[in-house]
Amino acid sequence: MPSAADETKEYRYFAGGEWRTAESGELFEVYRPFDRSVFARVAAGGREEAKIAVAAAAKAFPAWSATTPGERARLFFKAVEIVKRRREEIAKVLATETGSTLSFATFQQDLVAATIEQAAGWMYLPKGEVLETNTPGLHSIGVRRPLGVVACFTPWNGANILSWRALISPVAAGNTVVVKPSEFAPISAGLMLAEICEEAGFPKGVVNVVTHAPGAAGEIADVFFESDEVRVINLIGGVKTAKLLAKRAGETLKRTTMELGGFNPLIILDDVDMDYAVRTATFGSFFHQGQICLNTRRIIVQRKIADEFLTKFVARTKTLPSGDPQNPKTIIGPLITPAAVKMVDDRVKEAVAKGAKLLTGGTYEGQVYQPTILTEVPLDVSLAREETFGPAVIVEVVDTDEQAIASANRTLYGLTSSILAGDTYRAFEMAPKILAGIVNVNSPTVNDEIHAPMGGVRDSGWGRTGPQSLHEFQDLIWINAHSGKRQYPF
């Protein structure tokens, strides 16, 4: 287990059921986003640590894949108990390590507990099907079989829930995992999961976590791709990283499942309930200070109501409290790193320099960037083309439903989207025309259900969450048996 040193904890990595120091003995520092003070020191893993973790996972796989569904479910339920017991503690770590507000941090813990609890029931889903056959006397079935070791790349944003989501499906499907958490949230996105799985009694080697210093992720990825035991690369991350991993996966014939970012549109039709539209837009745009892949990035509003919407949207945005994420009243906390602040600010300034109108925001103090709304943003600037992880949203005015759809489909991203309308049927008719993995009618872009097949299309990745995701981590094997003797042509 991790050991405390004064106010700053030191954490080892976890492999084969043991907490280990890095071979080099080196630690790297994790900083609090709000004040840039050192929060923790964590084992700086690399190639050797990744090899140890992969070997442990491979060793544990045969026994785990043969474990009964009842035993797997028991361990999942035990993990739920621990998550609930440690709810406040984990939420505080999340707020400290990632800058998540306390409300979002506690929300994550409740969602984690509900997700693990529901996943316990996935153990009893059918593992195959009876197949039709044209051959008399032949009995034919398709059986799903776990693959082996799954390498999970977990993110710093929504660190706890997204990391559990990356781990749960492959483990429930009978695989073992090596988790490589983001260097910006190694505790929330990895080591806390290992603590809980260890206490719950998961067999040694089923869950392993390798941490690394900034800039050292490549060494660990190299081991994953070089290892024959690693069969799946499971990424929750950005498009740039995904392209690098997908290329290497193709060269080594490893499967990939990728939940990537989004440039998510919120369409507001002219018959909408205005107050509801403003509340929905505010939540979707600025929840977790815009650092969720599901956040609203573009608001497409019809001209008839545009002026009223903008007036009320700007007014409401200006009331959002910002500052220390440990303060229960805070809505806008800090961005994850100084580099993240610079990226958002550079893109906002570029847009304004090229003619965009800044309606509110565009300033920051420390790493807290004020919620920002822009209109008339040129299509050739970064803010209009690329996912920007921060509290900056574009508002675009259109005339018709057709123009709204065309605008929503302008980018190659396709994660989530929303349509707000008084006439639900009108919105529902538009929904299939939106090129996104998720279309919400009269709900925000930030919307998820544990059992639903959440995931993106096009540059927002492939693969789905929920019970449907089990198939991403299993082979379908055809087994047939003849009850008599086959006749052959020679």
Side-chain angles (χ1 to χ4, degrees), residues 218-236:
E219 299 177 28
I220 296 172
D222 287 344
V223 173
F224 292 160
F225 286 109
E226 292 166 6
S227 170
D228 290 337
E229 286 81 11
V230 174
R231 300 311 312 152
V232 187
I233 304 297
N234 181 21
L235 169 69
I236 300 178

Side-chain angles (χ1 to χ4, degrees), residues 67-74 120 123-124:
T67 302
T68 65
E71 175 61 10
R72 289 186 212 165
R74 184 189 68 80
M123 313 301 177
Y124 289 96

Side-chain angles (χ1 to χ4, degrees), residues 149-457:
V149 179
V150 177
C152 301
F153 292 72
T154 60
W156 55 262
N157 65 313
N160 210 236
I161 179 57
L162 292 181
S163 300
W164 275 107
R165 179 172 283 170
L167 177 151
I168 284 171
S169 293
V171 171
N175 303 279
T176 55
V177 297
V178 179
V179 177
K180 188 215 75 66
S182 165
E183 63 269 36
F184 301 128
I187 302 163
S188 303
L191 295 174
M192 277 195 155
L193 281 67
E195 291 178 10
I196 291 166
C197 289
E198 179 188 37
E199 184 180 347
F202 280 78
K204 294 180 178 182
V206 172
V207 175
N208 309 272
V209 179
V210 180
T211 52
H212 65 86
E219 299 177 28
I220 296 172
D222 287 344
V223 173
F224 292 160
F225 286 109
E226 292 166 6
S227 170
D228 290 337
E229 286 81 11
V230 174
R231 300 311 312 152
V232 187
I233 304 297
N234 181 21
L235 169 69
I236 300 178
V239 173
K240 183 178 179 181
T241 300
K243 288 181 178 179
L244 294 173
L245 296 181
K247 180 179 179 180
R248 297 195 65 184
E251 294 170 346
T252 54
L253 294 180
K254 296 189 187 299
R255 293 190 189 184
T256 61
T257 176
M258 297 189 173
E259 181 186 326
L260 309 180
F263 202 78
N264 310 308
L266 168 64
I267 296 174
I268 303 177
L269 301 182
D270 53 18
D271 63 344
V272 75
D273 178 309
M274 183 58 69
D275 289 339
Y276 180 70
V278 170
R279 294 198 307 273
T280 302
T282 306
F283 171 76
S285 300
F286 303 125
F287 187 56
H288 194 36
Q289 45 272 16
Q291 293 183 122
I292 302 175
C293 57
L294 301 176
N295 278 120
T296 300
R297 307 294 176 196
R298 292 178 296 152
I299 298 171
I300 303 163
V301 58
Q302 292 191 322
R303 193 174 306 278
K304 180 179 176 182
I305 60 170
D307 289 344
E308 181 185 2
F309 170 76
L310 282 169
T311 299
K312 292 184 176 181
F313 183 39
V314 170
R316 184 175 180 86
T317 297
K318 288 180 177 180
T319 68
L320 301 178
S322 62
D324 187 347
Q326 301 281 358
N327 185 335
K329 295 182 180 180
T330 297
I331 300 298
I332 306 296
L335 299 186
I336 188 69
T337 62
V341 176
K342 185 177 186 304
M343 184 268 289
V344 175
D345 195 51
D346 286 349
R347 290 184 179 181
V348 169
K349 287 178 177 176
E350 178 200 16
V352 172
K354 291 192 175 183
K357 291 184 178 180
L358 180 64
L359 302 186
T360 189
T363 61
Y364 62 93
E365 183 176 347
Q367 286 178 216
V368 179
Y369 203 95
Q370 292 303 308
T372 300
I373 302 171
L374 304 99
T375 61
E376 300 182 26
V377 177
L379 297 180
D380 62 343
V381 302
S382 297
L383 197 65
R385 293 183 291 107
E386 301 174 31
E387 181 183 41
T388 299
F389 249 45
V393 66
I394 295 169
V395 179
E396 179 181 347
V397 179
V398 298
D399 291 301
T400 67
D401 294 4
E402 291 71 25
Q403 288 175 347
I405 293 168
S407 176
N409 293 337
R410 185 181 296 131
T411 73
L412 286 177
Y413 290 98
L415 182 55
T416 184
S417 59
S418 289
I419 306 171
L420 304 184
D423 182 350
T424 303
Y425 185 77
R426 175 186 176 191
F428 200 76
E429 284 286 289
M430 295 172 64
K433 302 173 184 177
I434 305 297
L435 300 178
I438 309 163
V439 184
N440 301 284
V441 173
N442 288 334
S443 292
T445 57
V446 182
N447 188 35
D448 190 10
E449 292 276 352
I450 298 166
H451 58 277
M454 196 195 87
V457 299

Side-chain angles (χ1 to χ4, degrees), residues 128-143 476-483 486:
E129 56 188 321
V130 177
L131 306 176
E132 291 287 358
T133 175
N134 288 317
T135 305
L138 185 68
H139 302 276
S140 183
I141 61 172
V143 178
L476 181 61
I477 309 302
W478 179 33
I479 301 176
N480 62 82
H482 201 279
S483 60
R486 297 285 298 269

